[in-house]
């Protein structure tokens, strides 16, 4: 019998095969991934058994051999009627739970007739203005039998109130309502920005929801603590993990401070993580999250093991989807779905192949949903509990993620908790630095995206997309608002709104008071405004990071050529070229805008990072006041056909047709000509190489010589 080979022998053999090349991979999280793992890497680590503390291997002893995860489809578009029909089709096709996407006007607490939301109504989710909308949304869907997840944070009080009253008017007692409301405002202040009120009253809202649901809705999860939007904003998996767990700890502390027993509400908390393309890292992240939550809840004084059990929904990554060669997105979503399953998620949404461009069609949504059905029904993956448990690599990664995230969590706690950290801004800055660094890696092809920066097609084939008629939806919503207001007892409605306003000043439970407003047919905007009258409306200004994107290029000839081009324009104009990066409408996702601001700032542009949520008129006024040369309009939520032409119209009316307007973001190729006809001079879709984009902008400004080495084919 031959002797067992040693690690030294393996190392020598591997080194010979690759001619001495170092096979260690340094991840964006700062983790050095070796080419081989053995039992020696697990010294001092015990993952335990599924269903037992600290739940590393899963929260159920039998998962998924006993029951598979819940298949959800995050969906909602245009009207309640259209969304309801879509839900019924999906449920018939195998979906097990509803996950509702609301439009941005709803998220930000505005009724559809508000002048600030003309381009947003029905575009990125369903418009909900009244209790009638909510009742139509769930028409024919028994709320005592269906688990409903609602992604809502800013306008969480009126939306949850509408849901409760819709159940009542269906004949369903609120004690039977099952599902989850996201209700995670710290994440909004950090990355997603669909907040309404300042941090302190926002945290009070969360405590009031905890209190009401723990008393009245025992089956309902009162918060879904979300790391998803952190990763979508550019966070590494360590950052997503650490800040999500720290957010959860902060919410628990607020709940306890408001007088709640930790074990009375903590068992109804749930989590929401993104699942990206770093397969094994994502598997390990979910395992590490369960370990960390058990540790945190034990430190906070929880006694019930259910309070220490991290249950999570997952969604495949949106940012990993590409506009170019979009059928590759089917494979990406499949890989990410498998990572979520092998990590032990309780429910899962799989993104559709066209979601880098628009809302999913029925065709693409069916493929996304069937991805989960195939995994559950055809692969045998569900027959073994935690099939990757015991993998040297996965267990080692889990341990390293626990340790790395715990360092950040301890820093948060040392500085007074997550609310103070968010107010100080350093978590957001960390995420934006990671985002800029990733963008540079992709643009430099240090990180491959198949079909985008490598193996790209010569010509893209058009695909069918879902297009929502924003004008028609808004008109229908306004008609329904007017009908509801005309048919209600106006005096009784105003009494209920006044009571909510007084409750915001004092100690009344805001959700309880809002439920009464919903019963009296107050609109979402009226309920939100009653609280805004007391709390005010929160606003922030972007502060793009500096030196990260440009620093990745060093002395690169392409980059240096652009820097020289900017300097040439500066000499000609007598000042630096100036760009306003404008975020119009109610979309708060600002990753793309911040990346553009960072990259162009590093090149030497004078960048004006406009405030979020501007109207086209406000953006035009700022462009004129700042005397910019270019306005870069960032669009993510399909309002581009309304908002950008209106911006150009205001510039024209002011006699400033010299200010060039370019557009970037989630803009389908089918819409390019509409924007060009309106006067847009350059359009940059998802995945655009920022170096190539800067080249085109410099040419618009009169610098006609492309920097040496720019690969035009990469555009």
């Amino acid at each position: 019998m031959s002797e067992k080979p040693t690690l030294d022998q393996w190392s020598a053999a591997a080194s010979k095969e690759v001619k001495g090349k170092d096979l260690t991979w340094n991840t964006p999280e700062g983790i050095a991934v070796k080419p081989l793992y053995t039992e020696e890497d697990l010294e001092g680590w015990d993952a335990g058994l599924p269903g037992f503390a600290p739940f590393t291997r899963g929260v159920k002893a039998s998962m998924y051999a006993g029951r598979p995860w819940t298949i959800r489809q995050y969906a909602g578009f245009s009207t309640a009627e259209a969304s309801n029909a879509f839900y019924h089709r999906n449920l018939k096709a195998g979906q097990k739970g509803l996950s509702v996407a609301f439009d941005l006007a709803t998220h930000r607490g505005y009724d559809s007739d508000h002048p600030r939301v003309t381009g947003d109504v029905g575009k990125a989710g369903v418009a909900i203005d009244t209790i009638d909308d909510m009742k139509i949304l769930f028409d024919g869907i028994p709320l005592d039998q269906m688990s409903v997840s609602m992604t809502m944070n800013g306008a969480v009080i009126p939306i949850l109130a509408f849901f409760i009253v819709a159940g009542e008017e269906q004949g369903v007692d609120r004690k039977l309502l099952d599902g989850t409301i996201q209700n995670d405002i710290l994440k909004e202040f950090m990355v997603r920005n669909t907040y309404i009120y300042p941090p302190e009253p926002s945290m009070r809202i969360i405590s009031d929801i905890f209190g009401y649901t723990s008393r009245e809705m025992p089956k309902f999860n009162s918060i879904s603590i979300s790391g998803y939007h952190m990763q979508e904003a550019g966070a590494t998996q360590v950052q997503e993990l650490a800040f999500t767990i720290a957010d959860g700890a902060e919410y628990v502390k607020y709940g306890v401070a408001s007088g709640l027993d930790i074990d009375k509400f903590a068992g109804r908390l749930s989590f929401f993580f993104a699942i990206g393309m770093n397969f094994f890292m994502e598997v390990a992240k979910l395992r590490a999250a369960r370990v960390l939550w058990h540790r945190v809840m034990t430190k906070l004084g929880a006694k019930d093991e259910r309070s220490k059990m991290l249950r999570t929904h997952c969604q495949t990554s949106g940012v990993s989807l590409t506009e170019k060669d979009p059928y590759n997105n089917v494979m990406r979503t499949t890989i990410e779905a498998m990572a979520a399953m092998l990590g032990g998620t309780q429910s899962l949404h799989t993104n559709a192949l066209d979601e880098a461009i628009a809302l999913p069609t029925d065709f693409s949504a069916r493929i996304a949903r069937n991805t989960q059905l195939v995994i559950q029904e055809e692969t045998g993956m569900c027959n073994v509990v935690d099939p990757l448990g015991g993998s040297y690599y996965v267990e080692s990664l889990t341990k390293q993620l626990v340790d790395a995230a715990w360092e950040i969590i301890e820093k948060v706690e040392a500085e007074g908790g997550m609310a103070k950290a968010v107010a100080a801004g350093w978590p957001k800055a960390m995420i934006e630095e990671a985002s800029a660094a990733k963008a540079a890696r992709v643009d430099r092809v240090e990180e491959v995206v198949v079909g985008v920066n490598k193996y790209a097609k010569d010509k893209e084939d058009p695909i069918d997309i879902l297009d929502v008629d924003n004008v028609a939806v808004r008109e229908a919503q306004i008609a329904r608002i007017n009908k509801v207001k005309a048919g209600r007892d106006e005096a009784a409605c105003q009494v209920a709104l006044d009571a909510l306003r007084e409750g915001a000043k004092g100690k009344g439970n805001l959700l309880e008071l809002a439920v009464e407003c919903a019963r009296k047919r107050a609109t979402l905007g009226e309920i939100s405004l009653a609280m805004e009258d007391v709390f005010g409306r929160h606003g922030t200004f972007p502060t793009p990071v500096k030196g990260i994107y440009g620093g990745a290029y060093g002395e690169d000839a392409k980059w240096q050529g652009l820097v020289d081009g900017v300097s040439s324009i500066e000499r000609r104009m007598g000042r630096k070229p100036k760009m306003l990066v404008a975020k119009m409408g109610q979309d708060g996702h600002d990753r793309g805008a911040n990346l553009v601001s960072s990259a162009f700032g590093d090149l030497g542009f004078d960048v004006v990072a406009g405030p979020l949520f501007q109207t086209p008129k406000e953006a035009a006024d700022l462009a004129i006041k700042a005397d910019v040369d270019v306005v870069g309009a960032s669009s993510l939520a399909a309002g581009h056909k309304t908002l950008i032409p209106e911006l150009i119209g205001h510039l024209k009316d002011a006699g400033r047709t010299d200010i060039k307007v370019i557009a970037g973001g989630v803009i389908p190729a089918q819409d390019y000509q509409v924007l060009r006809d309106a006067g847009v001079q350059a359009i940059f879709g998802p995945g655009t190489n920022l170096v190539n984009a800067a080249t085109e902008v410099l040419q618009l400004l009169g610098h006609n010589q492309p920097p040496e080495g720019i690969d035009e084919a990469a555009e």
Side-chain angles (χ1 to χ4, degrees), residues 29 31 238 242 399-409:
E29 292 78 15
I31 292 174
V238 167
K399 181 177 183 295
Q400 290 182 83
L401 282 171
V402 167
D403 293 343
W406 189 249
E407 284 187 23
I408 297 176
I409 293 167

Side-chain angles (χ1 to χ4, degrees), residues 291-310:
V291 174
L292 289 165
W293 187 241
H294 188 274
R295 184 185 296 180
V296 164
M297 292 303 288
T298 301
K299 287 170 69 74
L300 289 173
K303 300 292 189 290
D304 188 339
E305 285 299 300
R306 181 174 172 78
S307 300
K308 306 175 188 179
M309 187 185 292
L310 182 143

Side-chain angles (χ1 to χ4, degrees), residues 114-257:
H114 197 284
R116 297 195 75 87
V117 300
T118 54
D120 295 301
V121 176
K123 292 298 284 187
V126 61
I128 298 292
D129 296 306
T130 67
I131 180 62
D132 284 20
D133 289 331
M134 190 68 84
K135 289 174 69 176
I136 293 167
L137 187 67
F138 296 117
D139 184 44
I141 298 171
L143 293 178
D144 55 346
Q145 299 173 35
M146 181 60 60
S147 171
V148 176
S149 172
M150 293 179 285
T151 299
M152 178 52 65
N153 302 281
V156 64
I157 288 285
I159 284 295
L160 193 46
F162 286 169
F163 178 67
I164 291 165
V165 176
E168 285 179 3
E169 298 187 5
Q170 242 191 37
V172 178
D173 190 285
R174 56 185 173 272
K175 288 182 168 51
L176 299 177
L177 294 173
D178 188 8
T180 304
I181 190 86
Q182 192 163 97
N183 194 26
D184 177 4
I185 204 65
L186 286 174
K187 166 263 302 176
E188 298 296 329
F189 290 123
M190 203 186 316
V191 290
R192 189 165 174 255
N193 301 312
T194 51
Y195 44 69
I196 299 175
Y197 314 109
E200 188 173 341
S202 295
M203 294 299 287
R204 178 195 162 181
I205 285 170
I206 289 170
S207 295
D208 281 4
I209 290 172
F210 285 175
Y212 183 93
T213 54
S214 64
R215 289 193 314 271
E216 306 288 339
M217 302 168 70
K219 296 179 67 177
F220 197 79
N221 298 315
S222 51
I223 193 168
S224 175
I225 303 148
S226 174
Y228 183 88
H229 303 96
M230 298 180 199
Q231 187 178 137
E232 292 291 279
T236 67
Q237 276 89 338
V238 167
Q239 291 168 352
E240 178 193 5
L241 179 57
F243 292 139
T244 305
I245 297 297
D247 277 353
E250 191 80 346
Y251 294 134
V252 170
K253 285 187 280 188
Y254 267 80
V256 171

